[in-house]
Amino acid sequence: MWRKLFTSVPAFRALKAPCRSFKSSSRGAEKDFFKDLDTQLRAFRDKAAAAMPGSDWSPIELTPGLPPERADVVIVGGGVVGWSIAYWLKMKARVRDGLRVLVVEKDPTYSQASTVLSCGGIRQQFSLKENILLSLFSAHFMKNINNHLWVVNEDPVDLQFNHSGYLFLASEKSAHIMEENYRTQRYVGAKVVLLSPSQLKERFPWMNTEGVALASLGLENEGWFTPAKLCSLISYIVPISSRFVYVVHCPDGPGLDTPFLIDYSGVYCRREGLGGNYITGMSPEETEEPDISNLDVDHEFFQEKVWHRLAHRIPAFEQLKVSSAWAGFYDYNTFDQNGIIGLHPLVPNMYFATGFSGHGLQQSPAVGLAVAELILDGGYKTIDLSAFDLKRILLQEPIQESNIV
Amino acid sequence: MLKVLIPTMMLFPTIWLTSPKWLWTTTTAHSLLIASASLTWLKWTSEAGWAFSNMYLATDPLSTPLLVLTCWLLPLMILASQNHINPEPVGRQRSYITLLALLQTFLIMAFGATEIIMFYIMFEATLIPTLIIITRWGNQAERLNAGTYFLFYTLAGSLPLLVALLLLQQSTGTLSMLVLQYSQPLQLSSWGHMAWWAGCLVAFLVKMPLYGVHLWLPKAHVEAPVAGSMVLAAVLLKLGGYGMMRMMVTLDPLSKELAYPFIILALWGIIMTGSICLRQTDLKSLIAYSSVSHMGLVAGGVLIQTPWGFSGAIILMIAHGLASSALFCLANTAYERTHSRTMMLARGLQMIFPLTAVWWLAANLANLALPPLPNLMGELMIITTLFNWSPWTILLTGLGALITASYSLYMFLMSQRGPTPNHIMGLQPFHTREHLLMTLHLIPIILLMTKPELMWGWCY
């Protein structure tokens, strides 16, 4: 900067000419030394000029980008659950830097993370009251996400939350389970309604209601969102199994009010975007778990298992075309398919929040708050999740969710 | 004087020649004996201003309480360090205790010095063992930064002091405190004289610390191991106050005007550092800033130069030394168990450590100057003398007392009350050694309540 000041003065240019001839004189080594010194000094001056008061440039350049040596809480895994726990820990530490939290994630591109590869659905139609409460809280969180995560000067966060609801279909044998679940859900506060086959046909004329005894539809706080948008908010820094999701295109398919349809045979389907695309898939049977070593999609699975069931339920899907597919990991809790949250029985300062078996994304904000309360407040405050503690596995008392997918 | 100094010097062979099995027991016992020998200084028999003197060292009512505090603190420091130094190799353990004993020796010679130059040399000499303790045995990487700040802040203040002392020697012909107190007041009027005045005092103001130059203190206190924090908070800060009190004798009449900005800085510092305490998340950092706050009061009291100001300053120095050291010991017990100084994570400790909660309560009540503890006595005397100097100071000191109470209670409630997190349920119970440490801190404060004349300085 100083140099620029000087060279702009015309008189100095006259001075420079004799310097140039001096430079071309013999002594080679000295000339190099001075030139090096000069470049170094200039670099130093530029840096110093850039370091206005308030910048944190220091002449002692410590290696940048290293993780901190110490942290108060280390979260292993930076997916949506880990990120949510980190967020709530920081929120509860009311003072900035009150708690040093470190999130450790193996794959910074999240290419294989369940978070990104999930369908992004959120529903309250569970049978366990804790699951319903978790999803309700998460739905409120996502609806009001701009209160929580909006940074001033940036665009408001848009999760593309489609509130179309989930539609569960039950056959004759499972109708009574659905009724019981409906009672639990209404008691806890989810807005669900039961539909008979004729009401179904009225509401969704494109559906084939053969074999359906009862259906339950979520009216509010249910739907799906784009997990990748949630993922991009992640700023820093169990036995698994995989599921296949297929994107199909059908021009005459169900319209805009299509809910996230879950048939009693296990196949599910939802609308994706506005161009007649749908996302569909099916949970494979226990005996035919797909290979988890890679994320290659099994198209045979679609042809043999999924398509005919889908077409049976929605006749328009007989003419569809698979446009793409992907596979994602399911953090599957083989014991009772519900999350495990709580303290480790032997290690005194280790907490778990894992095994959500397909519900991790939709329950993540609430689970994050619950774990943050466990760590900082010594117990659950907002939602009591002591039913999900690890000791149910030690005592062999599963808490089953009926009607799961 | 020698009956304390020679045993302290003999502490070095004791440390290096004792068998490793008996190292800690022996050194603790030896230093306790030195501490009890130092209690004899409290018996004031001299008719002259100075007692127990030889050619270079003497005690007087100002230095006696500080000397006894210094000697009392060494066994406490050794007790406190026992747990975290034990895993290290024996040679390193011996080096650690040697550094503490070296610090002790320098401090005794500093407080007992009758020549100001000797005081200065010992003042500087205490920097070295402290620096080694902080940078070698501190826990985080930030300790290097802390050591640098500590060293250079104090040095930058004390090199002008050397020049000023040499000038004083030049003009008065002596630097002995015995003689200087009788010398004629100097004719001081020019800018050069004002610079000399500042040079005499800046070193001690940095050491106190005064609010504007206090940045080294939170770093040094937080990064130092427990013994380092204890000696820093309890004694090394008081070197600054003691030095100021000795120098003020020779600095009249300039002090009348020149002290003004420093008094204002000190008073403002009480409020600012108190407010910073309320926002702290690190436990040791909170205690460090509270030290700055209390020392701001002491600085104000000393700069006013009235009898009540001096007495209040000495009383507050002693009482704060014991209370602050107690708080650092308590913070260290929490740190040794959870390895974290974050206040949010070690909460609800009363449920698992009930007796320790009593010590926490007592130490925090002492810190917030609860009557009838001597902390309150010192603070009241300083507040009164400041009020006498200018009635407006009551706004600042009153607000400061209020903020002190709030952050002390905040510290207590945050660490002891509230829900106990699950991950600290399984912490190690308290050792008898730690309970002993706390009682040895708190009993002197309570006993001093009964005979405060020991601390009143020249007004006794």
Side-chain angles (χ1 to χ4, degrees), chain B residues 311-436:
Chain B
S311 297
I314 308 172
I315 299 173
L316 188 53
M317 286 202 288
I318 304 295
H320 168 264
L322 287 165
S324 204
S325 178
L327 281 170
F328 274 116
C329 289
L330 285 168
N332 182 57
T333 58
Y335 178 78
E336 279 180 5
R337 284 165 176 79
T338 58
H339 290 288
S340 158
R341 296 192 299 263
T342 312
M343 281 170 69
M344 295 197 64
L345 289 180
R347 307 184 56 185
L349 292 175
Q350 186 170 14
M351 279 288 115
I352 40 180
F353 301 133
L355 180 55
T356 315
V358 176
W359 308 138
W360 270 102
L361 183 63
N364 276 310
L365 290 178
N367 206 22
L368 62 83
L370 187 78
L373 296 173
N375 305 67
L376 177 75
M377 190 183 324
E379 284 197 13
L380 269 185
M381 291 174 82
I382 298 180
I383 294 179
T384 316
T385 191
L386 280 169
F387 183 75
N388 183 32
W389 175 72
S390 157
W392 295 103
T393 57
I394 195 85
L395 293 172
L396 293 169
T397 48
L399 187 60
L402 182 66
I403 298 181
T404 307
S406 29
Y407 68 68
S408 300
L409 283 178
Y410 170 68
M411 184 176 12
F412 178 69
L413 293 174
M414 197 62 166
S415 59
Q416 304 304 117
R417 298 282 163 85
T420 313
N422 293 310
H423 56 264
I424 66 169
M425 290 286 189
L427 290 182
Q428 242 190 35
F430 252 66
H431 310 154
T432 313
R433 172 186 60 89
E434 289 164 339
H435 286 304
L436 176 66

Side-chain angles (χ1 to χ4, degrees), chain A residues 71-143:
Chain A
D72 292 317
V73 183
V74 173
I75 300 177
V76 178
V80 67
V81 176
W83 162 77
S84 161
I85 298 177
Y87 168 79
W88 282 110
L89 278 174
K90 282 291 199 181
M91 287 295 285
K92 285 176 80 66
R94 278 158 278 124
V95 187
R96 181 206 288 247
D97 278 347
L99 206 57
R100 284 169 300 181
V101 180
L102 179 68
V103 177
V104 180
E105 164 60 42
K106 176 174 67 168
D107 176 14
T109 59
Y110 292 98
S111 52
Q112 295 198 338
S114 319
T115 305
V116 192
L117 300 171
S118 132
C119 276
I122 178 164
R123 59 175 164 113
Q124 279 89 47
Q125 296 184 45
F126 293 99
S127 62
L128 281 178
K129 119 167 117 54
E130 283 90 3
N131 279 329
I132 306 173
L133 285 169
L134 285 175
S135 297
L136 258 180
F137 183 93
S138 306
H140 283 300
F141 181 87
M142 310 234 200
K143 282 206 295 199

Side-chain angles (χ1 to χ4, degrees), chain A residues 158-179:
Chain A
D158 178 22
L159 283 182
Q160 295 169 353
F161 196 164
N162 282 296
H163 291 260
S164 302
Y166 265 64
L167 178 68
F168 274 83
L169 303 175
S171 61
E172 288 287 340
K173 18 191 204 29
S174 45
H176 62 284
I177 305 178
M178 184 172 272
E179 275 180 46

Side-chain angles (χ1 to χ4, degrees), chain A residues 226-241:
Chain A
T226 315
K229 297 278 186 189
L230 200 57
C231 215
S232 66
L233 299 168
I234 298 175
S235 47
Y236 49 148
I237 14 175
V238 121
I240 49 172
S241 58

Side-chain angles (χ1 to χ4, degrees), chain B residues 55 67-68 75 84 157 176 193 237 257 270 286 298 305 312 355-356:
Chain B
M55 271 172 43
L67 276 166
V68 176
H84 75 94
S176 169
H193 290 137
L237 301 188
E257 288 88 29
I270 303 173
L286 202 159
V298 171
Q305 303 166 82
L355 180 55
T356 315

